[in-house]
Amino acid sequence: MSATNPKKSSAPEPSREERIEAVVEQLRPQIEQVVRQMVERAVDVPEAEEFGAIDTEFRDAGQNLVTDVRQARKKGYVGCSVTCPDCQYAAKFHFYHTKSSSFK
């Protein structure tokens, strides 16, 4: 008599395209909101101010979207890095903590 080992049937891993579509769908509301704000800003800015501060605003909006994409890809996992609430960049490394003499 042969012993059969029933295995749990697991769902197949999603394809690359399915993973991409899932992240895009998750980000779609944020993307549309950011693009809308950028277009409104571009339409409202006087021609004399077309270059300058608006470029910085657009760059910042793009960088925020990049952060959102990375977070969505990691499925919300933050990890050990800390993000600055003002600039949205990862906090810089300052120093290693030394071991206390009580830990020998």
Side-chain angles (χ1 to χ4, degrees):
M1 190 187 250
S2 67
T4 58
N5 198 3
K7 293 183 179 181
K8 293 181 182 178
S9 62
S10 59
E13 290 290 318
S15 70
R16 178 179 182 272
E17 190 60 33
E18 289 170 334
R19 293 191 321 259
I20 290 170
E21 284 302 315
V23 172
V24 169
E25 283 305 310
Q26 178 183 348
L27 292 171
R28 189 173 307 282
Q30 292 164 276
I31 293 168
E32 289 176 355
Q33 179 185 7
V34 169
V35 170
R36 173 72 187 217
Q37 290 169 349
M38 291 171 69
V39 170
E40 287 175 356
R41 180 73 170 110
V43 168
D44 295 342
V45 71
E47 193 172 323
E49 296 175 22
E50 216 169 83
F51 302 102
I54 194 170
D55 293 331
T56 305
E57 292 175 30
F58 285 1
R59 183 203 65 213
D60 291 346
Q63 288 175 336
N64 288 338
L65 278 176
V66 169
T67 300
D68 293 341
V69 169
R70 287 184 178 141
Q71 289 299 325
R73 183 174 173 263
K74 295 190 304 183
K75 299 180 178 125
Y77 175 74
V78 177
C80 62
S81 65
V82 177
T83 303
C84 173
D86 296 324
C87 69
Q88 301 301 317
Y89 288 105
K92 293 182 180 173
F93 174 81
H94 292 284
F95 57 88
Y96 286 106
H97 292 280
T98 57
K99 289 184 179 180
S100 160
S101 61
S102 63
F103 296 110
K104 291 187 178 182

